[in-house]
Amino acid sequence: MAGQSRQEGSNVSNPIKRMRWATQRAPGQSGKRKRHSIISRLHKRTGSSEKKRESGGADSSDHPPLESVQEENEGSEAGTELGAAHRQIYFNIPLPDDARDEDGHPLATFGRNKIRTAKYTPLSFVPKNLWFQFHTIANIYFLFVIILAIFPIFGASNPALGSVPLIFILLVTAVKDAIEDWRRTVLDNELNNSPVHRLVYWTNVNVAEDNISTWRRVKKATSRGIMWVIRRWKARKSHKPEKGKGYTERALDESRQSIDTRGTRNSIYTTRTSFHSTRSQADGEAIQMTPVPSPVPGNERLGDGFLDPGPRPTTAFSYEQGNGVLGEANGTLPVTADKKKDSYQAPVRVYGSLIDHTKQTPETARFKKDFWKSVQVGDFIRIYNDDQIPADVVVLSTSDPDGACYVETKNLDGETNLKVRQALHSGRKIKHARDCEKSDFMIESESPHANLYAYSGVVKWRQRDGKKPEAPGIEMAEPISINNMLLRGCSLRNTEWVLGVVIFTGEETKIMINNGITPSKRSRIVRELNWNVICNFIILSIMCLVSGIVNGVIWAHGSNSLDYFEFGSIGGKPSVDGIITFWTAVILFQNLVPISLYISLEIIKTAQAFFIYSDTFMYYEKLDYPCTPKSWNISDDLGQIEYIFSDKTGTLTQNVMEFKKCSINGVPYGEAYTEAQAGMQRRQGINVEEEGARANAQIARDRVKMLEEIRKIDPNPYLHDDELTFVAPDFVTDLAGASGPAQSAANEHFMLALALCHTVITERTPGDPPKIEFKAQSPDEAALVATARDCGFTVLGRSDDGIILNVMGVEREYKILNTLEFNSTRKRMSAIIRMPDGRLILFCKGADSIIYSRLRAGEQSELRKSTAEHLEMFAREGLRTLCIAQRELGEEEYETWNKEHDIAAAAVQDREDKLEKVSDMIERELTLLGGTAIEDRLQDGVPDTISLLGDAGIKLWVLTGDKVETAINIGFSCNLLNNDMDLIVLKIDEEGLAEAELDKHLAAFGKTGSDQELKAAMKNHEAPDPTHAIVIDGDTLSLVLDEQLRQRFLLLCKECKSVLCCRVSPSQKAAVVQMVKAGLDVMTLSIGDGANDVAMIQEADVGVGIAGEEGRQAVMSSDYAIGQFRFLQRLILVHGRWSYRRLGETIANFFYKTIVWTFAIFWYQLYNNFDGSYLFDYTYILLYNVAFTSLPVIFMGILDQDVSDKVSLAVPQLYRRGIERKEWTQVKFWTYMVDGLYQSLMCFYMAYLLFAPAGFVTESGQDIDRQRMGVYVACPAIVVVNTYVLLNTYKWDWLILLLVTFSILLIWFWTGVYSAFKSSLTFYHAAPQILGQLTFWAVTLLTVIVCLLPRFTAKAFQKIYMPRDIDIVREQIRQGKFSHLDQYEAYVLPNKISSATSSDLSHPVQSDSNANMADDERPIYPPSVAQTSTTRNPRSQTGSDETNYTSHRHSLERLSRISLDRPRPSFDRARASMDRVRPSYEASNDFTSAALLTRLESSHSYRHSRRTEDISSELR
């Protein structure tokens, strides 16, 4: 950007010098010219050429100096050293010869921006689906049997009819898979067809438009043909009125709000305007936004076919500094600005510009509304406010003159707070399409990788002088970092527009690399089922081998009945006869491998998915969203989950911060009743129901009183009663002067500090009264500023160099000289403010130990002590605490420091470290003002759900991108951590230390990390003792996930009750899931709500996506989608347990019934020389699995219940049987197989022995042929099988009894009907001949008794003498011990209290009358735990890291202040309860208690001048 010198006569104030930790934010331009509203920038096309206008950039006169050309060159060289594998992208520069092939096409090929999470395409569906289905051994087997049956030599009766079962199961499975994948395809198409404004009518030299493969052309033609058929089919129904979307359609995630295709951009029609939008370019730089009409089908043309925004609300703060007064008509406010200039002026740094003004262009390029899928590497795109980013984009320019833009990265890291990204300095003049045409540059970029927080590249161009166009120009370069890049999946916020160039597309974007490939999941039972099928194959092979050998030997032996009754053998010789008999037996005994099992499993799983979807107790009314199964075939896996991996933000929490309490000048304010406070009171025997109701009523009264008092002081138009979270009427009275002028001034100054020390962006919604909201990089910061607003200190917005406040009805402007922003290392942020009276004050807020260590030595002893006590009690109530301090600066001191700051900000190398050192110089000798306490609200029911899952034996790990302190706070709030746990914090920087640290902690548990210990851990499914928890950050995690260390890390985690992984990337989340899943051989479930969770959702056995109010990436890739975390308890403990138990019992019964039927035929072969003849009529064989025995076992798998849903939740320990996988084991399989073998013997030989003593001749002289004897065997067998299934069914209701009775009667009915027709041939009149015999009914009765007696005896013995948990619980249900659950429509936790969320307690509610929770069931939520011999706790009492300053103890001076003895209800309650438990918290000096904080002195307060000198030399 070309620099222009500031004019001496200018009255423009210096802009904010804001510390950026990767790229410095450039200052703003002159404030003399009022920013035009966006509506004035839009115009309609009239066919004439675009109006010529000057493409000037923002004034850059305040940039720091360019230190030297050598430094610039070093940065350029640093950017080029990207490794061997990198990409070069050219813009308006012809590709060099070595980058093109012989046809002139680019050698480098880049992936398309079209993404596909679906597994199939229209062309690949049939072959790919068949390929997946024939991974099932049984399907391969039956295909082979069908092929065998085609040949008549093997004696198959009807090959075509025999192929029907296989065709049916393939068809049903294919339809199910098609429906599942169609839903994914619809979402994919919606995303790929989302609108984006792309530069067209120019040449992108990086891609070849006509280089489209033949295969892709075929696919596109196929897709068009299918869509044409679908449109024609829909057109036939177009005459029907279109109904609104209902319950079902909304559950299919038809669209995401953030990418919804609409006729106009949301940023134009929104009723909320950001202050940031007021800082756009001046008149001469107005963007003429004229996108070409969208090609999206169905989009209506607006006006002349272009975007016509219509009337737009006036921007809240468009300041005009001509007279310092804003027009009332525009809704703006009069301000009094301080025009005093800083005495120090930073030199000018020239960055150059990518625009070549000497270049002649056709000026045909335009930004056209196009599809995401059309975006290519090297494209220019323009993104508007609230749009999602379609690809990984390097930012060239933004609507902000400083080149800043704000993005929400919720879909990447789960955080809803805004992040700042910067445009390239050299690209900030590129604002229009014609500027893009004139830009000649090349970007050298690193290759795509998965790290979301790192990017390295460099932009290179030749800077030409417009006055000397013939000159060759100067080679220039500018480094590109991750802070200059917008990643796909982010959303643009509070920025009118951004113009950038595409670097990575589609599968090469960072979010897609982290997502991985959509896996094809199969349930564990189905995977294990293949081994059982193999066992049946082995049995089948043995049976067929025996048949072939015996038949061949008999033919070879001769001299037997075969010589009289057979007309020769088929094979002609015994060996061939044996081979033919072998394959004939394969067809005869084919039912031993039950293909009907696979058909039945598909039916059962589909029904289970429907029941899950229809469960109204998992319906989220706020979003109109039920629990939606995306994968129908893994419901049984839900019943075996041992480990749950959860995201934090948006999954466990609402990410809503509420200011609850504060301490000002040693006086506590605020009323709140938190869960942590209730838990501690319960341990002390206090009735929390009564206490909660009393506190609730008190808070409601105080709330009304506070609103009345505060409006007496100032009728604040920005205060909305329903948004008030800080309930403190005594604060208002003190503010009015009830406790003296000193306390009143302290309260006012404290709120002023909250209103000034921040980086929030204001958003104002016009109305009466108007509404001001805040967007911040941290929700904590927004809560602080919102509370200042509610108390009369409202942030109205920012001017070019200051901030506008409404202080108790008086508007003031405060000049912000510097903002030293927060980061995880500093743990504090500061703002240097020029007060209206001319004073310079540094306001600082941060963690308590950080602030206390920087206080002025020897002062404020009394205030330190009282404030520390208040913060300690606030933290024990589960609140997040911060300290507020200030320092008054001298002019000379500030000028000296500011020069050092500017030098550090101008550095190219190690800029962050230098800025941090400079900031450390000024943030010393602070004066304490007070502290704050904020509540981070969990989602409803999260603590109870986690507790319930823990009782079930499920281990929960939290994998989050948030910082360690935040994750620990949430851990205490949601029952993952408690004060009895030793916290093992792993934060290791060097690889060599990781191994030693792991060995040290493993030794505390008596472990070494050996293979034997891992094998033992795999067999142990017990939950670890709640004595230890692990907290680990992302950098350390990358070390311990190494192949050499991961086993030791896994064993250490196995010994801990809770594991919290912080600052982890999506790929690290997936790696952790894979480590546990493969290392311990356990079933895992991952749950999250953002795109950053997709990788772990796909890696886990079961992936659950939470359908948040924004974003559906997690839902798109999940197996189950729910609306809230609390629904997980019903999904797992009810539906999961039911599905697993049902399926395990169903499969065992299927194998049993096939054994009974197949071996009955085998026993018959003993008496007919194994010639492969059928014992039963062929219709019996066809109908056995289809009709006679199918319904009872299928409905057992669909409807059987051992206990109700309420009891399943009331006794979560029943789930542990699923964790141990005891419902389907190899022992159970073989037990049922042996039982079936025994019963097949009984069924055959009971009938055989009836005729064997006398002969197979009736009294009329007719022979009893094999078909009639088969009736004696088949009918009892079917009665036995159906009755056996009934015995194994827990719930006997009218439906299951009806189905069993119907199935039994059906065999007799079919025998009578079928044998009545002559078409039955030899079976004609079999029914009257057999069913009329008394011997038939006698044999049937005896057979049923003899077959079922062992099973009945074994079950009776087991339930009486060796009862399982479920047997005891079922007996207690019969005794009425769970009858109290009947009063609830759904299960309600008996220990639930009415005061679970303190936000709700701000309003009057009625308390529940539930039973009290036992004292030891509710943990205390302290902010830290005591140090032990094996652990070190770096987290202080108030949520901050420990410091090394506790050893500095100095004499303290007492600070005299007014003593206030008025009762503080909430404080007194907390103090009374805390005093009883205080000693247990102060067992270690590592705990930053109130006593230790009062002794904490600053080591930064000494040798100030010397440190300044040292740092100055370092910076230079």
PDB file of all heavy atoms in Angstrom, residues 920-944:
ATOM      1  N   ASP A 920       4.913  -6.369  28.807  1.00  0.00           N
ATOM      2  CA  ASP A 920       5.288  -6.694  30.179  1.00  0.00           C
ATOM      3  C   ASP A 920       5.914  -5.500  30.884  1.00  0.00           C
ATOM      4  O   ASP A 920       5.809  -5.352  32.099  1.00  0.00           O
ATOM      5  CB  ASP A 920       6.251  -7.881  30.171  1.00  0.00           C
ATOM      6  CG  ASP A 920       6.651  -8.304  31.558  1.00  0.00           C
ATOM      7  OD1 ASP A 920       5.809  -8.898  32.249  1.00  0.00           O
ATOM      8  OD2 ASP A 920       7.810  -8.043  31.962  1.00  0.00           O
ATOM      9  N   MET A 921       6.564  -4.602  30.143  1.00  0.00           N
ATOM     10  CA  MET A 921       7.203  -3.429  30.735  1.00  0.00           C
ATOM     11  C   MET A 921       6.189  -2.480  31.352  1.00  0.00           C
ATOM     12  O   MET A 921       6.442  -1.889  32.408  1.00  0.00           O
ATOM     13  CB  MET A 921       7.998  -2.667  29.663  1.00  0.00           C
ATOM     14  CG  MET A 921       9.204  -3.415  29.116  1.00  0.00           C
ATOM     15  SD  MET A 921       9.836  -2.627  27.605  1.00  0.00           S
ATOM     16  CE  MET A 921       9.983  -0.935  28.158  1.00  0.00           C
ATOM     17  N   ILE A 922       5.032  -2.329  30.717  1.00  0.00           N
ATOM     18  CA  ILE A 922       4.083  -1.301  31.148  1.00  0.00           C
ATOM     19  C   ILE A 922       3.052  -1.832  32.131  1.00  0.00           C
ATOM     20  O   ILE A 922       2.457  -1.075  32.890  1.00  0.00           O
ATOM     21  CB  ILE A 922       3.382  -0.683  29.911  1.00  0.00           C
ATOM     22  CG1 ILE A 922       2.757   0.679  30.240  1.00  0.00           C
ATOM     23  CG2 ILE A 922       2.338  -1.637  29.351  1.00  0.00           C
ATOM     24  CD1 ILE A 922       3.780   1.757  30.401  1.00  0.00           C
ATOM     25  N   GLU A 923       2.841  -3.159  32.121  1.00  0.00           N
ATOM     26  CA  GLU A 923       1.794  -3.748  32.973  1.00  0.00           C
ATOM     27  C   GLU A 923       2.382  -4.091  34.346  1.00  0.00           C
ATOM     28  O   GLU A 923       2.377  -5.248  34.779  1.00  0.00           O
ATOM     29  CB  GLU A 923       1.203  -4.982  32.293  1.00  0.00           C
ATOM     30  CG  GLU A 923       0.433  -4.647  31.028  1.00  0.00           C
ATOM     31  CD  GLU A 923       0.063  -5.867  30.219  1.00  0.00           C
ATOM     32  OE1 GLU A 923       0.837  -6.854  30.217  1.00  0.00           O
ATOM     33  OE2 GLU A 923      -0.990  -5.845  29.572  1.00  0.00           O
ATOM     34  N   ARG A 924       2.836  -3.096  35.047  1.00  0.00           N
ATOM     35  CA  ARG A 924       3.443  -3.253  36.363  1.00  0.00           C
ATOM     36  C   ARG A 924       2.911  -2.183  37.314  1.00  0.00           C
ATOM     37  O   ARG A 924       2.250  -1.260  36.891  1.00  0.00           O
ATOM     38  CB  ARG A 924       4.971  -3.118  36.284  1.00  0.00           C
ATOM     39  CG  ARG A 924       5.671  -4.075  35.342  1.00  0.00           C
ATOM     40  CD  ARG A 924       7.089  -3.584  35.043  1.00  0.00           C
ATOM     41  NE  ARG A 924       7.807  -4.466  34.145  1.00  0.00           N
ATOM     42  CZ  ARG A 924       8.544  -5.490  34.545  1.00  0.00           C
ATOM     43  NH1 ARG A 924       8.660  -5.741  35.828  1.00  0.00           N
ATOM     44  NH2 ARG A 924       9.174  -6.250  33.671  1.00  0.00           N
ATOM     45  N   GLU A 925       3.245  -2.345  38.572  1.00  0.00           N
ATOM     46  CA  GLU A 925       2.907  -1.339  39.579  1.00  0.00           C
ATOM     47  C   GLU A 925       1.411  -1.008  39.513  1.00  0.00           C
ATOM     48  O   GLU A 925       1.002   0.154  39.550  1.00  0.00           O
ATOM     49  CB  GLU A 925       3.741  -0.068  39.353  1.00  0.00           C
ATOM     50  CG  GLU A 925       5.240  -0.279  39.339  1.00  0.00           C
ATOM     51  CD  GLU A 925       5.765  -0.655  40.702  1.00  0.00           C
ATOM     52  OE1 GLU A 925       5.216  -0.177  41.722  1.00  0.00           O
ATOM     53  OE2 GLU A 925       6.725  -1.452  40.774  1.00  0.00           O
ATOM     54  N   LEU A 926       0.569  -2.062  39.413  1.00  0.00           N
ATOM     55  CA  LEU A 926      -0.869  -1.870  39.248  1.00  0.00           C
ATOM     56  C   LEU A 926      -1.546  -1.599  40.584  1.00  0.00           C
ATOM     57  O   LEU A 926      -1.038  -1.957  41.654  1.00  0.00           O
ATOM     58  CB  LEU A 926      -1.495  -3.100  38.583  1.00  0.00           C
ATOM     59  CG  LEU A 926      -0.954  -3.497  37.207  1.00  0.00           C
ATOM     60  CD1 LEU A 926      -1.636  -4.763  36.712  1.00  0.00           C
ATOM     61  CD2 LEU A 926      -1.138  -2.373  36.204  1.00  0.00           C
ATOM     62  N   THR A 927      -2.712  -0.987  40.484  1.00  0.00           N
ATOM     63  CA  THR A 927      -3.563  -0.748  41.658  1.00  0.00           C
ATOM     64  C   THR A 927      -4.822  -1.582  41.492  1.00  0.00           C
ATOM     65  O   THR A 927      -5.517  -1.493  40.471  1.00  0.00           O
ATOM     66  CB  THR A 927      -3.935   0.729  41.771  1.00  0.00           C
ATOM     67  OG1 THR A 927      -2.731   1.510  41.892  1.00  0.00           O
ATOM     68  CG2 THR A 927      -4.834   0.964  42.977  1.00  0.00           C
ATOM     69  N   LEU A 928      -5.127  -2.389  42.496  1.00  0.00           N
ATOM     70  CA  LEU A 928      -6.269  -3.304  42.418  1.00  0.00           C
ATOM     71  C   LEU A 928      -7.580  -2.539  42.541  1.00  0.00           C
ATOM     72  O   LEU A 928      -7.747  -1.702  43.432  1.00  0.00           O
ATOM     73  CB  LEU A 928      -6.171  -4.354  43.533  1.00  0.00           C
ATOM     74  CG  LEU A 928      -7.273  -5.407  43.576  1.00  0.00           C
ATOM     75  CD1 LEU A 928      -7.235  -6.284  42.324  1.00  0.00           C
ATOM     76  CD2 LEU A 928      -7.111  -6.275  44.835  1.00  0.00           C
ATOM     77  N   LEU A 929      -8.528  -2.825  41.632  1.00  0.00           N
ATOM     78  CA  LEU A 929      -9.869  -2.240  41.696  1.00  0.00           C
ATOM     79  C   LEU A 929     -10.894  -3.223  42.232  1.00  0.00           C
ATOM     80  O   LEU A 929     -11.803  -2.844  42.957  1.00  0.00           O
ATOM     81  CB  LEU A 929     -10.307  -1.766  40.302  1.00  0.00           C
ATOM     82  CG  LEU A 929      -9.446  -0.682  39.641  1.00  0.00           C
ATOM     83  CD1 LEU A 929     -10.010  -0.332  38.272  1.00  0.00           C
ATOM     84  CD2 LEU A 929      -9.363   0.558  40.517  1.00  0.00           C
ATOM     85  N   GLY A 930     -10.769  -4.501  41.869  1.00  0.00           N
ATOM     86  CA  GLY A 930     -11.735  -5.492  42.333  1.00  0.00           C
ATOM     87  C   GLY A 930     -11.671  -6.737  41.479  1.00  0.00           C
ATOM     88  O   GLY A 930     -10.692  -6.998  40.780  1.00  0.00           O
ATOM     89  N   GLY A 931     -12.738  -7.528  41.531  1.00  0.00           N
ATOM     90  CA  GLY A 931     -12.796  -8.782  40.781  1.00  0.00           C
ATOM     91  C   GLY A 931     -14.207  -9.059  40.286  1.00  0.00           C
ATOM     92  O   GLY A 931     -15.184  -8.478  40.773  1.00  0.00           O
ATOM     93  N   THR A 932     -14.315  -9.936  39.294  1.00  0.00           N
ATOM     94  CA  THR A 932     -15.610 -10.293  38.709  1.00  0.00           C
ATOM     95  C   THR A 932     -15.801 -11.804  38.778  1.00  0.00           C
ATOM     96  O   THR A 932     -14.830 -12.560  38.883  1.00  0.00           O
ATOM     97  CB  THR A 932     -15.706  -9.840  37.244  1.00  0.00           C
ATOM     98  OG1 THR A 932     -14.722 -10.541  36.469  1.00  0.00           O
ATOM     99  CG2 THR A 932     -15.476  -8.342  37.124  1.00  0.00           C
ATOM    100  N   ALA A 933     -17.046 -12.234  38.681  1.00  0.00           N
ATOM    101  CA  ALA A 933     -17.391 -13.656  38.690  1.00  0.00           C
ATOM    102  C   ALA A 933     -18.468 -13.901  37.633  1.00  0.00           C
ATOM    103  O   ALA A 933     -19.526 -13.274  37.660  1.00  0.00           O
ATOM    104  CB  ALA A 933     -17.893 -14.093  40.063  1.00  0.00           C
ATOM    105  N   ILE A 934     -18.179 -14.806  36.716  1.00  0.00           N
ATOM    106  CA  ILE A 934     -19.048 -15.076  35.571  1.00  0.00           C
ATOM    107  C   ILE A 934     -19.397 -16.555  35.553  1.00  0.00           C
ATOM    108  O   ILE A 934     -18.557 -17.414  35.843  1.00  0.00           O
ATOM    109  CB  ILE A 934     -18.354 -14.681  34.248  1.00  0.00           C
ATOM    110  CG1 ILE A 934     -18.070 -13.178  34.244  1.00  0.00           C
ATOM    111  CG2 ILE A 934     -19.176 -15.066  33.040  1.00  0.00           C
ATOM    112  CD1 ILE A 934     -17.284 -12.712  33.039  1.00  0.00           C
ATOM    113  N   GLU A 935     -20.631 -16.831  35.203  1.00  0.00           N
ATOM    114  CA  GLU A 935     -21.094 -18.216  35.097  1.00  0.00           C
ATOM    115  C   GLU A 935     -21.144 -18.623  33.625  1.00  0.00           C
ATOM    116  O   GLU A 935     -21.724 -17.930  32.799  1.00  0.00           O
ATOM    117  CB  GLU A 935     -22.491 -18.374  35.712  1.00  0.00           C
ATOM    118  CG  GLU A 935     -23.013 -19.799  35.639  1.00  0.00           C
ATOM    119  CD  GLU A 935     -24.435 -19.942  36.170  1.00  0.00           C
ATOM    120  OE1 GLU A 935     -25.137 -18.918  36.233  1.00  0.00           O
ATOM    121  OE2 GLU A 935     -24.834 -21.063  36.499  1.00  0.00           O
ATOM    122  N   ASP A 936     -20.479 -19.755  33.327  1.00  0.00           N
ATOM    123  CA  ASP A 936     -20.558 -20.341  31.989  1.00  0.00           C
ATOM    124  C   ASP A 936     -21.636 -21.405  32.030  1.00  0.00           C
ATOM    125  O   ASP A 936     -21.447 -22.477  32.598  1.00  0.00           O
ATOM    126  CB  ASP A 936     -19.207 -20.946  31.596  1.00  0.00           C
ATOM    127  CG  ASP A 936     -19.216 -21.450  30.162  1.00  0.00           C
ATOM    128  OD1 ASP A 936     -20.235 -21.255  29.472  1.00  0.00           O
ATOM    129  OD2 ASP A 936     -18.222 -22.056  29.736  1.00  0.00           O
ATOM    130  N   ARG A 937     -22.745 -21.118  31.410  1.00  0.00           N
ATOM    131  CA  ARG A 937     -23.908 -21.995  31.546  1.00  0.00           C
ATOM    132  C   ARG A 937     -23.756 -23.254  30.721  1.00  0.00           C
ATOM    133  O   ARG A 937     -23.403 -23.221  29.546  1.00  0.00           O
ATOM    134  CB  ARG A 937     -25.180 -21.258  31.126  1.00  0.00           C
ATOM    135  CG  ARG A 937     -25.541 -20.106  32.038  1.00  0.00           C
ATOM    136  CD  ARG A 937     -26.933 -19.621  31.720  1.00  0.00           C
ATOM    137  NE  ARG A 937     -27.925 -20.669  31.840  1.00  0.00           N
ATOM    138  CZ  ARG A 937     -29.184 -20.567  31.431  1.00  0.00           C
ATOM    139  NH1 ARG A 937     -29.573 -19.470  30.830  1.00  0.00           N
ATOM    140  NH2 ARG A 937     -30.017 -21.545  31.585  1.00  0.00           N
ATOM    141  N   LEU A 938     -24.047 -24.360  31.391  1.00  0.00           N
ATOM    142  CA  LEU A 938     -24.093 -25.631  30.697  1.00  0.00           C
ATOM    143  C   LEU A 938     -25.436 -25.789  29.993  1.00  0.00           C
ATOM    144  O   LEU A 938     -26.405 -25.099  30.299  1.00  0.00           O
ATOM    145  CB  LEU A 938     -23.920 -26.780  31.690  1.00  0.00           C
ATOM    146  CG  LEU A 938     -22.572 -26.877  32.416  1.00  0.00           C
ATOM    147  CD1 LEU A 938     -22.671 -27.924  33.500  1.00  0.00           C
ATOM    148  CD2 LEU A 938     -21.466 -27.209  31.455  1.00  0.00           C
ATOM    149  N   GLN A 939     -25.483 -26.705  29.070  1.00  0.00           N
ATOM    150  CA  GLN A 939     -26.780 -27.083  28.509  1.00  0.00           C
ATOM    151  C   GLN A 939     -27.619 -27.726  29.602  1.00  0.00           C
ATOM    152  O   GLN A 939     -27.100 -28.279  30.577  1.00  0.00           O
ATOM    153  CB  GLN A 939     -26.601 -28.071  27.360  1.00  0.00           C
ATOM    154  CG  GLN A 939     -26.069 -27.475  26.081  1.00  0.00           C
ATOM    155  CD  GLN A 939     -26.085 -28.477  24.936  1.00  0.00           C
ATOM    156  OE1 GLN A 939     -26.721 -29.521  25.015  1.00  0.00           O
ATOM    157  NE2 GLN A 939     -25.382 -28.162  23.874  1.00  0.00           N
ATOM    158  N   ASP A 940     -28.905 -27.662  29.434  1.00  0.00           N
ATOM    159  CA  ASP A 940     -29.802 -28.260  30.421  1.00  0.00           C
ATOM    160  C   ASP A 940     -29.528 -29.755  30.546  1.00  0.00           C
ATOM    161  O   ASP A 940     -29.451 -30.474  29.551  1.00  0.00           O
ATOM    162  CB  ASP A 940     -31.261 -28.043  30.015  1.00  0.00           C
ATOM    163  CG  ASP A 940     -31.657 -26.579  30.059  1.00  0.00           C
ATOM    164  OD1 ASP A 940     -30.954 -25.816  30.755  1.00  0.00           O
ATOM    165  OD2 ASP A 940     -32.636 -26.208  29.396  1.00  0.00           O
ATOM    166  N   GLY A 941     -29.388 -30.205  31.794  1.00  0.00           N
ATOM    167  CA  GLY A 941     -29.282 -31.642  32.039  1.00  0.00           C
ATOM    168  C   GLY A 941     -27.916 -32.244  31.812  1.00  0.00           C
ATOM    169  O   GLY A 941     -27.770 -33.466  31.933  1.00  0.00           O
ATOM    170  N   VAL A 942     -26.901 -31.443  31.513  1.00  0.00           N
ATOM    171  CA  VAL A 942     -25.583 -32.012  31.230  1.00  0.00           C
ATOM    172  C   VAL A 942     -24.977 -32.691  32.464  1.00  0.00           C
ATOM    173  O   VAL A 942     -24.527 -33.840  32.374  1.00  0.00           O
ATOM    174  CB  VAL A 942     -24.633 -30.934  30.667  1.00  0.00           C
ATOM    175  CG1 VAL A 942     -23.186 -31.405  30.706  1.00  0.00           C
ATOM    176  CG2 VAL A 942     -25.022 -30.610  29.235  1.00  0.00           C
ATOM    177  N   PRO A 943     -24.928 -32.050  33.635  1.00  0.00           N
ATOM    178  CA  PRO A 943     -24.329 -32.741  34.792  1.00  0.00           C
ATOM    179  C   PRO A 943     -25.049 -34.039  35.138  1.00  0.00           C
ATOM    180  O   PRO A 943     -24.404 -35.047  35.424  1.00  0.00           O
ATOM    181  CB  PRO A 943     -24.466 -31.705  35.925  1.00  0.00           C
ATOM    182  CG  PRO A 943     -24.580 -30.392  35.232  1.00  0.00           C
ATOM    183  CD  PRO A 943     -25.331 -30.662  33.978  1.00  0.00           C
ATOM    184  N   ASP A 944     -26.386 -34.006  35.094  1.00  0.00           N
ATOM    185  CA  ASP A 944     -27.136 -35.216  35.420  1.00  0.00           C
ATOM    186  C   ASP A 944     -26.896 -36.304  34.386  1.00  0.00           C
ATOM    187  O   ASP A 944     -26.805 -37.490  34.722  1.00  0.00           O
ATOM    188  CB  ASP A 944     -28.631 -34.893  35.501  1.00  0.00           C
ATOM    189  CG  ASP A 944     -28.959 -33.961  36.652  1.00  0.00           C
ATOM    190  OD1 ASP A 944     -28.265 -34.047  37.677  1.00  0.00           O
ATOM    191  OD2 ASP A 944     -29.886 -33.146  36.531  1.00  0.00           O
TER     192      ASP A 944
END
